[in-house]
Amino acid sequence: MADAEGAERAGANEATRRKVETSLAKSEAEAQRLNVGKGEVLPSVAPHLESVHRAAADNRPEDLQRAFRETEEETERLRTENRAILAEQNRLLEEERLKVILQLSGTVAHDLNQPLTAIVGYTGLLKLEQTLSPENQHILDQIEQSARRIKDIIEKIQRAALVDPQPYKAGAVTVRFTRLHRILLLEDESKWLHKFVRLLEPYREYLHFDFASTCDEAERRLKEQDYDLVIADYQVGDSTSLDFIGRPTLPIDRPPFIMVTGKGDEKLAVQAVRNGFYDYLPKVDLDREALVKAIWSTVERSRLEKELQSARARIAEMATADGLTGLHNRRYLMERFEAELARVIRYEHSLGVCMVDVDHFKGINDRYGHAMGDRVLQHLAGCLRKLLRKSDICGRYGGEEFLVLLPNTDLANARRFAERLRKKVADDKLSLPGLTIPLTVSVGVAAWKKGLGGAELLRLADEALYRAKNEGRDRVCIAEEQG
């Protein structure tokens, strides 16, 4: 009987121990998810866990229950701290996201705060009027409430910090660098160089520094090496970093700049931002929190701006380019045609027009499939690119038809271009593994002359193309009215 009771108590103790260890494992997983190392969190729990193990081994139920309660209390405390850190991280990231959006739009919180303050003041004055109707009074109340809500958001943005003001452990911050960043320090005082390096020592795995003591040396390094950031003192020798950032000899794709100075004021800070600096830091009382915040926000803002520029370039390309051939699409091609025609009419310059069409294109599609038809159009686009001048304009006019605009080109030279194109397409057969497809094109040529409109010019080129098709294809024909 005693053996049975002892076995039951041992089983209960073992179940309690497993429950505690499961709870601890969950807490440890939460800590690791928040990048809090095992050695940084669990020492406070370890003594309680050891007590659980000793009580279970010695078969002391009361001690085991007490140790279990203490362990659960400590584990819950850790969970609460972890949740608080995660909530703070999310809040800070959201505020920084709003800040970056405002920065990308060219707006700063200070710029918005002034007119909003004026709106609140004006609404207060209007509400003093005795002649306001209840409806207008209600509208003014709504305007004032909305303005105050916006002011609250701006104040949050102005207070936004990327570093935890109450770090989880001494020296720790919630900012996370995910890759190596190369930073150029432009500073002629060694004591400040040492201070920067010392402040950023915890991030040496992600922040690599090069040093320059003169503006000329910094320029040389920027031309030799790609950097993610330049931290520059205001006064460097006989020059200033304001002068340096404006040098026309700096690389066009230079990295973002942060200014640090021991002599500055608000006026200098405004001047720095207007001249292209991303941030401004006074050396007085410079600490790790402010420096890390400035570095992280600057490199992130620079990254977002580059992504935005790339996205805009892609959008512009999609709006003007034919998706299959990469040449101009018809809409953009006609815009360019109208602009070029206006220039030609104004200055009475010459303009040649070639309408190009692939011969027997429907037969190619029917025999080899539409995918092969796409390859044919891409091949023709490649032939056109090899012959075009920088001033020439070419695009897909529709289906297998292409339109070529030749500025400062008379009818005779436009015809010579068309003959070179016809010959090149015939000579450069489309060769694929196990298959060679001979190609030819027909070309209609026309040229602008005084009194001729855009629609009429295109009609002449199209009629010449139609005649080239009827006369046997693989040929160039000039508009009859101009021949």
Side-chain angles (χ1 to χ4, degrees):
M1 184 72 173
D3 291 342
E5 291 179 353
E8 183 177 351
R9 282 196 303 271
N13 292 343
E14 179 63 21
T16 301
R17 184 181 64 79
R18 286 198 300 269
K19 182 178 180 181
V20 171
E21 289 183 340
T22 300
S23 179
L24 287 172
K26 291 180 179 178
S27 179
E28 180 180 352
E30 290 177 6
Q32 290 175 340
R33 178 168 58 86
L34 292 170
N35 297 310
V36 181
K38 182 176 180 179
E40 299 165 0
V41 176
L42 294 185
S44 61
V45 180
H48 302 292
L49 181 58
E50 292 175 1
S51 298
V52 171
H53 286 306
R54 286 197 301 270
D58 298 340
N59 197 18
R60 291 182 279 110
E62 292 182 359
D63 292 342
L64 180 62
Q65 291 294 332
R66 184 177 64 257
F68 173 67
R69 285 194 304 272
E70 292 173 351
T71 303
E72 279 210 324
E73 289 172 0
E74 181 63 21
T75 303
E76 183 57 33
R77 185 185 69 80
L78 290 175
R79 288 198 188 102
T80 301
E81 287 193 16
N82 287 342
R83 285 193 294 267
I85 289 177
L86 184 59
E88 180 68 9
Q89 284 180 322
N90 290 335
R91 183 186 67 80
L92 292 173
L93 289 173
E94 177 63 17
E95 289 182 353
E96 183 59 24
R97 185 184 69 82
L98 293 173
K99 185 176 180 181
V100 169
I101 290 173
L102 284 176
Q103 289 172 333
L104 288 177
S105 66
T107 307
V108 294
H110 179 71
D111 295 332
L112 293 175
N113 211 7
Q114 289 182 335
L116 278 171
T117 302
I119 290 174
V120 173
Y122 290 144
T123 53
L125 291 175
L126 288 172
K127 289 169 70 174
L128 296 176
E129 294 289 334
Q130 301 296 324
T131 57
L132 285 177
S133 66
E135 293 80 6
N136 290 337
Q137 183 74 34
H138 176 71
I139 292 173
L140 284 177
D141 289 340
Q142 295 297 316
I143 293 174
E144 186 176 21
Q145 290 176 15
S146 299
R148 292 190 183 281
R149 282 199 296 269
I150 297 174
K151 280 178 65 66
D152 290 341
I153 294 173
I154 292 173
E155 289 175 1
K156 287 182 180 180
I157 293 171
Q158 289 175 321
R159 294 195 304 268
L162 292 173
V163 192
D164 192 345
Q166 296 180 340
Y168 192 79
K169 63 166 188 170
V173 293
T174 56
V175 170
R176 291 184 59 206
F177 293 102
T178 58
R179 66 175 182 86
L180 177 67
H181 296 281
R182 299 187 67 91
I183 299 175
L184 178 61
L185 288 174
L186 175 54
E187 173 64 67
D188 57 357
E189 294 186 38
S190 59
K191 68 175 183 179
W192 285 107
L193 289 176
H194 294 319
K195 180 172 183 178
F196 290 141
V197 174
R198 185 176 68 254
L199 288 175
L200 299 173
E201 173 66 20
Y203 302 93
R204 62 184 182 275
E205 182 180 354
Y206 297 103
L207 303 178
H208 175 83
F209 298 99
D210 287 334
F211 307 99
S213 58
T214 67
C215 292
D216 289 340
E217 182 184 0
E219 181 175 344
R220 178 179 58 80
R221 287 186 175 274
L222 286 173
K223 291 177 178 178
E224 295 174 349
Q225 174 68 51
D226 292 331
Y227 289 97
D228 297 293
L229 175 66
V230 176
I231 300 177
D233 189 11
Y234 169 64
Q235 191 71 46
V236 184
D238 297 332
S239 185
T240 70
S241 53
L242 282 176
D243 297 327
F244 176 63
I245 198 174
R247 285 189 179 185
T249 52
L250 291 181
I252 296 177
D253 57 345
R254 61 174 171 78
F257 277 59
I258 292 176
M259 178 186 286
V260 291
T261 180
K263 303 178 182 179
D265 52 22
E266 184 176 344
K267 182 178 179 181
L268 178 59
V270 172
Q271 190 177 3
V273 173
R274 286 178 176 173
N275 280 270
F277 285 85
Y278 276 55
D279 210 338
Y280 169 92
L281 293 173
K283 287 182 177 178
V284 179
D285 299 327
L286 181 64
D287 57 15
R288 178 176 298 154
E289 178 178 326
L291 186 56
V292 171
K293 170 187 173 181
I295 292 174
W296 193 91
S297 61
T298 297
V299 296
E300 279 298 291
R301 177 183 167 189
S302 177
R303 180 184 64 81
L304 288 172
E305 287 179 344
K306 289 178 181 177
E307 290 182 358
L308 183 61
Q309 290 173 358
S310 178
R312 284 174 174 167
R314 289 196 299 270
I315 291 172
E317 182 180 352
M318 291 170 62
T320 61
D322 174 60
L324 178 62
T325 64
L327 298 175
H328 296 316
N329 59 28
R330 175 163 180 159
R331 182 187 63 80
Y332 183 69
L333 179 63
M334 297 313 294
E335 289 179 2
R336 293 293 303 273
F337 174 63
E338 291 174 3
E340 189 63 31
L341 187 65
R343 186 188 67 83
V344 166
I345 293 173
R346 180 176 182 180
Y347 298 106
E348 296 189 1
H349 290 173
S350 55
L351 174 64
V353 175
C354 297
M355 196 75 74
V356 185
D357 187 87
V358 180
D359 295 331
H360 305 293
F361 184 72
K362 184 178 184 303
I364 294 173
N365 270 337
D366 293 342
R367 182 174 180 182
Y368 300 106
H370 290 282
M372 186 60 67
D374 291 345
R375 295 290 296 270
V376 168
L377 296 179
Q378 291 168 346
H379 179 74
L380 175 56
C383 293
L384 282 163
R385 287 192 187 93
K386 293 176 182 178
L387 296 179
L388 293 171
R389 303 166 301 178
K390 288 185 177 180
S391 60
D392 297 335
I393 304 164
C394 179
R396 190 175 176 190
Y397 192 65
E400 68 273 22
E401 283 189 346
F402 294 78
L403 178 63
V404 182
L405 308 178
L406 305 170
N408 300 312
T409 304
D410 58 18
L411 186 65
N413 285 315
R415 179 173 185 172
R416 292 189 185 98
F417 170 84
E419 283 290 355
R420 290 201 306 272
L421 175 63
R422 184 197 63 78
K423 187 175 185 304
K424 182 169 184 60
V425 173
D427 292 342
D428 293 355
K429 297 178 176 60
L430 178 58
S431 297
L432 300 171
L435 178 64
T436 299
I437 301 177
L439 297 175
T440 61
V441 293
S442 299
V443 186
V445 180
W448 179 83
K449 62 180 181 180
K450 194 170 183 179
L452 201 60
E456 184 69 10
L457 180 57
L458 293 178
R459 181 188 64 78
L460 292 175
D462 195 49
E463 289 179 353
L465 171 62
Y466 185 75
R467 197 169 76 255
K469 290 283 189 182
N470 287 339
E471 291 180 5
R473 297 182 173 85
D474 188 21
R475 66 190 62 228
V476 174
C477 284
I478 293 178
E480 284 185 328
E481 297 179 18
Q482 299 183 336

